[in-house]
Amino acid sequence: STVSNIVQQLLQERIGNRVQSMILRKANTLDLSFFEDADFYDKLRNATDESVYKPMQMVSQLFDFVKTVVTLFSMLALLLSLAWWLAVIALLMPIPSFISSSRYGWRGYHKMRRQSPERRRMLYLIRLMTTDTYNKEIKLFNLGHFFVKQYDDVAEELYQQDKKIVVPRYLAGFGWGSLSALANSAIYIYVAFQAVARVISIGSLTMYTQAAMQVGSSFQGLLGDITGIYENNLYVDTLYEFLEYQPRIFSPIAPQSIERDPVVPGLDIEFRNVSFTYPGKDPETQAALRHVSFTIKSGEAIALVGRNGAGKTTIVKLLTRLYDPDEGLILIGGRDIREYDIEELRRVVGVIFQDYVTYYMSARENIGVGKIDEIENLEMVERAAGKSGANTVITKLPDGYSTMLGRWFKDGFQLSGGEWQKVALARAFMRDAPILILDEPTSSLDAQAEYEIFTKFRLLTEGKTAVFISHRFSTVRLADRIFVIEQGVIKESGSH
């Protein structure tokens, strides 16, 4: 028992960690389009919530299964020596309960799948109410009661659905269990009469009574373990469903190398008749880009301007192969980007989106992730921070570049929106890539900070191919050319 407990607990821990690692590794291979799909999120949640816990339960059930089998066959041998039909009755009685439990287990599994969107909504509402990112606005708009009521309504609806399965399941279990108890009582009475008739001794009475009880309980436990393993295996299927996802965007078998001119740090970019529609949208009326063609020369700075939703960020997503175009070609360095290894392609492009990520890690790590191989290179991190203006923020922190950012962890220091954006900009400069793309790079900065960055912007991007998206005239006037995008089409291009 001691050895079993040690092995079982360590094995459960190992399996839980392994399954979670498999989920993370698979998620890392999948395209951005998967993460913008609600059905995918349901399967991801099911895989994460159920498939980590259920295999750990299965380990425990397998250990119990083995021990129960040993007990069952030992006690059966004793009962058979008295009367074979006693063993048959003891074995038959738990079967109806096993069938009933299996059926309800199947129903419970399908109920879980139906409820997945609502469960995910509950998790989202919990995140809204318990995360610092949203807390300020929730308080200012008095939204707390509104979100709590939404949570309570969803929780009550799911509770009523659960009740319709839980109550009948356990009442059926009680009914079949009572039948087993009556059968066991009949066996006890029969054995007692055998003792009264002096067919067996008082000692044998105790032995056979205990054997009958053990056979019934062991077989019931055995069937219970089988039911549990079957039910948990249904949930584990959600893991394999998730692992079956395959990326649609992948590197070629024999990728080409991106050839870079040692004298000119930038790279040429060309779009040829590129059209793209996001999944689930109508290409006739909701295309993000329509037959877009343009060329950006190495070392040239281009600004993309247009209304929200015009297609500016879509161009960036296609250029970095977060999506592939529906038609047309995108070339970097004179080659179709689909001929390059994806990781190499993304290493030559430094991008900061408007909805940049705030990593709750140290200031050095926040910038260093821009070039993960150099994350420990403090000198390079400081140089990138100097280019974006983040160094003036970080040097004032309690522990400088070692200061934990964000309030989620101990001794964390929260930055303002503009300060976070400077850190995110430093991440782009950290990459030191030949192509630099900045999507609304100064949207959270004050006028003085914006002026300081853009007075040296051309110096920082000298020789590189720079693409930036902005609505501010002071920013776009720094570009060599401006592309005006409207409804997925480039309407104009030229200087300011």
Side-chain angles (χ1 to χ4, degrees):
S1 184
T2 301
V3 172
S4 172
N5 289 336
I6 292 171
V7 174
Q8 183 177 322
Q9 192 158 334
L10 292 177
L11 190 58
Q12 284 177 325
E13 185 74 16
R14 177 72 77 185
I15 287 176
N17 293 339
R18 174 63 177 164
V19 170
Q20 188 64 70
S21 178
M22 289 168 67
I23 292 169
L24 295 177
R25 289 173 190 276
K26 172 56 71 171
N28 187 48
T29 68
L30 298 178
D31 315 327
L32 177 63
S33 59
F34 287 104
F35 294 88
E36 296 176 344
D37 178 70
D39 291 337
F40 169 81
Y41 268 116
D42 289 336
K43 288 191 178 180
L44 175 58
R45 193 196 75 82
N46 290 338
T48 304
D49 292 356
E50 303 292 346
S51 301
V52 174
Y53 175 63
K54 297 299 183 181
M56 295 169 67
Q57 281 190 324
M58 289 173 71
V59 171
S60 175
Q61 288 164 342
L62 283 169
F63 273 82
D64 290 341
F65 182 85
V66 173
K67 290 188 287 187
T68 305
V69 165
V70 174
T71 304
L72 174 64
F73 281 101
S74 302
M75 296 301 104
L76 268 178
L78 285 175
L79 270 189
L80 288 171
S81 66
L82 178 62
W84 65 267
W85 55 269
L86 292 179
V88 172
I89 292 175
L91 288 175
L92 287 178
M93 283 303 101
I95 290 178
S97 178
F98 162 71
I99 295 171
S100 173
S101 183
S102 299
R103 285 179 57 219
Y104 279 109
W106 184 84
R107 291 181 186 176
Y109 165 71
H110 285 277
K111 177 205 65 166
M112 177 275 295
R113 297 192 67 129
R114 287 194 309 273
Q115 290 182 345
S116 187
E118 287 79 11
R119 296 282 180 195
R120 189 157 51 86
R121 178 164 179 77
M122 289 173 69
L123 290 174
Y124 174 69
L125 291 168
I126 290 171
R127 185 181 178 191
L128 279 180
M129 292 296 296
T130 58
T131 307
D132 58 349
T133 309
Y134 313 102
N135 191 262
K136 177 173 60 179
E137 183 164 314
I138 287 172
K139 280 184 166 53
L140 290 175
F141 286 92
N142 296 317
L143 298 175
H145 297 297
F146 172 73
F147 289 135
V148 170
K149 184 180 184 305
Q150 283 195 344
Y151 178 88
D152 289 342
D153 289 345
V154 176
E156 179 61 25
E157 181 183 346
L158 296 185
Y159 169 79
Q160 294 300 332
Q161 293 176 15
D162 291 347
K163 187 177 177 181
K164 290 178 181 178
I165 290 183
V166 171
V167 174
R169 178 176 189 170
Y170 285 98
L171 287 177
F174 170 76
W176 291 117
S178 300
L179 182 63
S180 296
L182 289 171
N184 286 333
S185 300
I187 291 173
Y188 301 156
I189 292 170
Y190 172 79
V191 174
F193 276 125
Q194 295 297 304
V196 170
R198 298 189 179 183
V199 175
I200 59 174
S201 66
I202 296 298
S204 296
L205 167 67
T206 305
M207 180 182 70
Y208 287 125
T209 304
Q210 291 295 320
M213 183 174 66
Q214 283 287 338
V215 167
S217 63
S218 295
F219 191 56
Q220 193 162 5
L222 196 69
L223 295 178
D225 289 335
I226 293 173
T227 302
I229 292 169
Y230 162 75
E231 189 174 340
N232 288 329
N233 193 57
L234 290 174
Y235 288 90
V236 173
D237 276 348
T238 62
L239 170 66
Y240 290 103
E241 285 181 20
F242 175 75
L243 295 177
E244 284 174 4
Y245 277 113
Q246 294 299 323
R248 304 183 189 100
I249 298 173
F250 45 83
S251 301
I253 296 173
Q256 298 293 324
S257 296
I258 300 177
E259 297 179 3
R260 298 172 58 178
D261 189 328
V263 178
V264 182
L267 287 166
D268 293 342
I269 299 172
E270 183 181 356
F271 274 52
R272 289 184 189 170
N273 198 37
V274 172
S275 296
F276 176 73
T277 304
Y278 284 102
K281 302 290 185 180
D282 182 3
E284 295 296 326
T285 59
Q286 298 174 300
L289 294 178
R290 303 172 190 272
H291 308 292
V292 170
S293 297
F294 61 82
T295 301
I296 305 174
K297 295 296 183 184
S298 174
E300 193 176 16
I302 296 296
L304 300 176
V305 300
R307 299 169 187 260
N308 291 332
K312 305 183 298 296
T313 301
T314 300
I315 288 177
V316 179
K317 289 179 178 179
L318 293 175
L319 184 62
T320 52
R321 285 205 75 192
L322 294 176
Y323 290 94
D324 277 338
D326 299 330
E327 60 177 295
L329 293 175
I330 302 171
L331 299 92
I332 289 181
R335 285 187 182 276
D336 186 341
I337 60 173
R338 286 173 287 199
E339 296 180 22
Y340 297 133
D341 177 79
I342 290 178
E343 290 191 5
E344 185 183 5
L345 170 68
R346 291 170 183 168
R347 274 196 293 269
V348 301
V349 183
V351 186
I352 288 297
F353 289 105
Q354 183 177 3
D355 53 345
Y356 55 85
V357 178
T358 56
Y359 294 103
Y360 291 159
M361 302 185 294
S362 71
R364 175 183 58 77
E365 291 170 325
N366 253 282
I367 297 172
V369 293
K371 193 171 186 179
I372 196 67
D373 295 339
E374 300 290 343
I375 195 170
E376 301 293 338
N377 190 335
L378 184 58
E379 183 180 345
M380 185 179 287
V381 170
E382 290 175 340
R383 192 159 57 243
K387 292 178 181 179
S388 73
N391 61 327
T392 58
V393 176
I394 295 171
T395 52
K396 295 177 183 178
L397 296 175
D399 297 313
Y401 284 86
S402 298
T403 304
M404 179 67 69
L405 301 185
R407 291 205 182 99
W408 279 27
F409 303 105
K410 187 178 180 182
D411 300 325
F413 194 92
Q414 182 67 300
L415 303 181
S416 67
E419 290 170 335
W420 271 118
Q421 190 153 35
K422 288 181 179 180
V423 171
L425 270 170
R427 204 177 297 147
F429 289 124
M430 178 76 183
R431 174 148 290 194
D432 196 26
I435 299 173
L436 184 64
I437 302 175
L438 304 177
D439 186 350
E440 288 289 338
T442 59
S443 59
S444 298
L445 301 182
D446 57 48
Q448 178 65 28
E450 181 192 30
Y451 173 77
E452 290 172 357
I453 286 178
F454 281 103
T455 51
K456 54 183 180 180
F457 180 80
R458 290 311 301 269
L459 179 64
L460 296 173
T461 60
E462 187 176 1
K464 296 183 178 181
T465 306
V467 178
F468 51 91
I469 300 169
S470 181
H471 295 105
R472 301 191 188 190
F473 181 70
S474 58
T475 302
V476 300
R477 67 182 298 180
L478 295 169
D480 297 313
R481 283 188 296 154
I482 300 170
F483 294 159
V484 181
I485 304 176
E486 187 175 326
Q487 295 182 341
V489 177
I490 293 183
K491 292 288 189 180
E492 301 179 68
S493 66
S495 68
H496 71 275

